[in-house]
Amino acid sequence: KIRVLPHRELRGVDFHALSFDGDVLLAAKPVVYGLDVERPSSRPTAGTKRTAGTKETLRRALVVANPKENLPFTIAEADAAEKAIQAWGFETTRLDGSAATSGAVGEQLPNADLFHFSGHGRFAGVDSEGTLLLAQDQRVSAGVILSRGRAPRWVVLSSCDTGRSERAQGGGGSGLSVADAFVLAGAHAVIASVRAVDDQKAQGLFADFYHRWDGQSDLAVPFQQALLAWRKANRNADWQSFRIIEP
């Protein structure tokens, strides 16, 4: 795969969508965006379970959908994600609508190995930080994510602006994106968007991604395949806005 380490204004460039060999770069190789920070070591999963006298890894997932209750298409997307995740053997916690409060998400997130979020993301601009909008006008910010001390291994953010940061827009502030915060907190890979997302169109992308992924291997190839398929089926969709961010 191709690893891009953009700096400052270049973080706003969609390198994976640049023309290459008669198509786009992503068509040739999976593309990931790095933060150039130390890669997290293989940390233990959230817990273990015992079966017939043996000890097995217990993998946990947190799926959050439509916390503001105004994005109806995110429910079907989360359903597809949850179905695939459970088929992989994950113990899954689902928080929809009014149940997705900051307290509930904050309680479950440190124990999750996989976090899927279908809802609103926000980045307010100069000297701000990215946030995920939750129920009851609550939110979880990039700063809060950093303070948790533990991030899920994999994070999938189907929401607006979760990969957007102050520096990506060319400013000099210290605004941090939600995706960057998860990576800095220890995530191995985060899927996010650097712009607005059409929730009706995006649900097909993530349903296809979970169909292609196996819940344990690298995200780059299955996401490349899903993104290219979504691009072909939705010519007017801003497929370029989605990217994988890694340490």
Side-chain angles (χ1 to χ4, degrees):
K1 62 187 176 183
I2 296 171
R3 179 175 168 84
V4 181
L5 290 170
H7 181 60
R8 298 183 67 86
E9 289 83 356
L10 291 178
R11 295 197 67 194
V13 176
D14 300 323
F15 286 93
H16 59 294
L18 295 179
S19 297
F20 180 80
D21 197 22
D23 203 330
V24 294
L25 184 60
L26 187 67
K29 293 283 185 180
V31 179
V32 300
Y33 292 75
L35 287 188
D36 199 19
V37 297
E38 183 178 356
R39 291 178 177 271
S41 59
S42 298
R43 60 173 177 75
T45 51
T48 57
K49 63 179 179 180
R50 295 187 179 275
T51 304
T54 63
K55 185 181 293 186
E56 299 178 1
T57 299
L58 173 62
R59 299 190 296 171
R60 293 192 172 103
L62 173 62
V63 178
V64 176
N66 197 23
K68 304 296 290 182
E69 300 185 319
N70 57 4
L71 295 175
F73 291 99
T74 62
I75 298 298
E77 176 183 274
D79 287 345
E82 184 179 29
K83 182 178 179 180
I85 292 166
Q86 290 177 338
W88 301 331
F90 279 72
E91 180 182 279
T92 306
T93 298
R94 175 80 176 260
L95 298 173
D96 284 7
S98 60
T101 62
S102 60
V105 172
E107 179 182 358
Q108 296 295 329
L109 198 55
N111 299 318
D113 300 294
L114 168 61
F115 176 45
H116 176 94
F117 181 85
S118 296
H120 287 292
R122 177 176 295 170
F123 186 83
V126 178
D127 294 325
S128 68
E129 60 182 357
T131 57
L132 299 178
L133 304 187
L134 301 177
Q136 302 175 22
D137 293 325
Q138 298 172 5
R139 63 190 64 199
V140 58
S141 68
V144 169
I145 293 166
L146 280 174
S147 71
R148 296 290 182 187
R150 183 187 187 279
R153 182 184 181 96
W154 301 291
V155 179
V156 180
L157 303 172
S158 176
S159 51
C160 300
D161 295 329
T162 46
R164 180 182 171 189
S165 67
E166 168 64 24
R167 292 181 179 179
Q169 305 307 308
S174 57
L176 188 68
S177 74
V178 171
D180 288 355
F182 274 117
V183 171
L184 292 170
H188 287 231
V190 180
I191 294 176
S193 174
V194 296
R195 292 184 289 278
V197 173
D198 184 323
D199 68 297
Q200 182 175 0
K201 294 179 180 178
Q203 64 170 323
L205 167 64
F206 288 100
D208 188 30
F209 163 69
Y210 280 105
H211 176 73
R212 297 173 187 271
W213 191 36
D214 61 5
Q216 57 185 357
S217 61
D218 188 88
L219 301 182
V221 171
F223 191 65
Q224 174 205 27
Q225 295 170 343
L227 198 56
L228 290 173
W230 191 60
R231 169 197 179 217
K232 183 177 181 180
N234 299 273
R235 289 293 182 180
N236 296 324
D238 184 17
W239 66 273
Q240 302 96 320
S241 70
F242 287 99
R243 58 182 64 177
I244 295 179
I245 302 170
E246 296 182 348

